[in-house]
Amino acid sequence: MNAMHTEEQPKIAVVTGAGSGIGRAVAVELLRAGWSVALAGRRPATLEETAALVPGAAALTARTDVSRPEEVDALFAATVERFGRLDLLFNNAGTFGPGGVPVEELPYDAWRHVVDTNLNGAFLCAQAAYRQMKEQDPRGGRIINNGSISAHTPRPMSVAYTATKHALTGLTKALSLDGRPYGIAVGQIDIGNAATDMTSRMQTGALQANGEIAPEPVMDVADVARTVRHMAELPLEANVQFATVLATAMPYVGRG
């Protein structure tokens, strides 16, 4: 039977960028639902804070820079050593990069940092998850990539972020196709204006396509977490290929 787990088997997840924002919300949602979760991120203290939000849950904290192959390999090795297998990767770690910088003034180092984190990091984690899911018994698992509304429609002066989020869509499609023979389901969630520290400026004023600065509505990040959990807990025979979850009144449809 090609199922992610039986009732007796725990569900095992890796969540990157788990120390704050969407990653923290998703990790907490999964832990409260009984998942065992490896919490990955660059700041050990914030990972410990995430784990402490669900006392007694099966959480592993792993200091990880997803742009470094050796650290990604160590993350997945530690996860399998602790929990025995891998059922889910939530590929969430990401950065906006410098905001409000015109493309002609964007330093190459800043561009490279965004690409290394958002795209290369997502690839490295997906590759490591894919290798594990392909070889484990029972075989298979699920990868959910955190895209963005910017995977569809860019904001002004966001060339690095937008380019990487468009690339994530290609990564999702290619992984989904290549994973079919091995029971690896791959999908993407594109999120708009979830209330986190990274989006706090939206409520005070964000640059619009017409050059104006205007506040934008946000939504509770817990609603995003519940959506990810729904995607994660589907049987492997079913897959949400793309989901878009956004603040209902944000300027997305028709913006620009």
Side-chain angles (χ1 to χ4, degrees):
M1 178 179 178
N2 185 22
M4 185 173 74
H5 59 86
T6 67
E7 290 301 318
E8 293 75 28
Q9 292 175 319
K11 298 163 285 185
I12 313 302
V14 168
V15 176
T16 65
S20 62
I22 291 166
R24 171 174 284 181
V26 169
V28 167
E29 178 74 16
L30 294 175
L31 287 167
R32 287 176 176 166
W35 287 67
S36 301
V37 183
L39 310 171
R42 292 182 299 164
R43 296 173 292 169
T46 61
L47 297 176
E48 294 293 345
E49 290 170 4
T50 299
L53 293 172
V54 191
L60 167 69
T61 60
R63 193 270 173 205
T64 308
D65 181 341
V66 297
S67 70
R68 296 183 175 273
E70 67 279 7
E71 295 190 22
V72 171
D73 289 343
L75 163 65
F76 285 85
T79 300
V80 174
E81 180 179 1
R82 170 75 177 272
F83 299 123
R85 62 177 285 114
L86 179 66
D87 297 301
L88 171 70
L89 164 65
F90 181 46
N91 229 346
N92 168 73
T95 180
F96 282 133
V101 179
V103 62
E104 69 273 17
E105 298 177 12
L106 184 70
Y108 177 71
D109 287 348
W111 164 272
R112 184 64 184 268
H113 175 66
V114 176
V115 173
D116 280 345
T117 303
N118 294 5
L119 179 56
N120 295 343
F123 163 73
L124 290 170
C125 289
Q127 183 182 55
Y130 190 101
R131 287 169 173 161
Q132 173 60 32
M133 292 171 177
K134 181 180 176 182
E135 299 301 328
Q136 65 192 4
D137 184 23
R139 190 166 65 179
R142 189 178 305 274
I143 299 169
I144 301 174
N145 293 324
N146 185 354
S148 172
I149 294 296
S150 293
H152 309 276
T153 305
R155 288 186 177 276
M157 299 188 209
S158 65
V159 63
Y161 184 76
T162 296
T164 56
K165 292 304 184 178
H166 274 260
L168 268 182
T169 299
L171 181 69
T172 297
K173 290 179 178 180
L175 290 171
S176 183
L177 178 59
D178 292 346
R180 286 178 185 173
Y182 310 109
I184 300 172
V186 186
Q188 180 171 314
I189 183 167
D190 296 328
I191 301 163
N193 287 18
T196 68
D197 290 343
M198 287 181 70
T199 59
S200 59
R201 63 186 176 86
M202 300 298 176
Q203 298 177 73
T204 56
L207 180 63
Q208 305 297 305
N210 64 1
E212 295 180 357
I213 303 294
E216 295 187 11
V218 297
M219 63 176 168
D220 192 333
V221 71
D223 294 323
V224 174
R226 283 191 288 270
T227 305
V228 173
R229 179 185 165 195
H230 167 69
M231 295 169 70
E233 292 187 340
L234 289 171
L236 289 179
E237 292 80 9
N239 186 40
V240 175
Q241 188 69 73
F242 292 98
T244 303
V245 184
L246 70 163
T248 303
M250 72 170 288
Y252 165 55
V253 176
R255 83 183 187 193

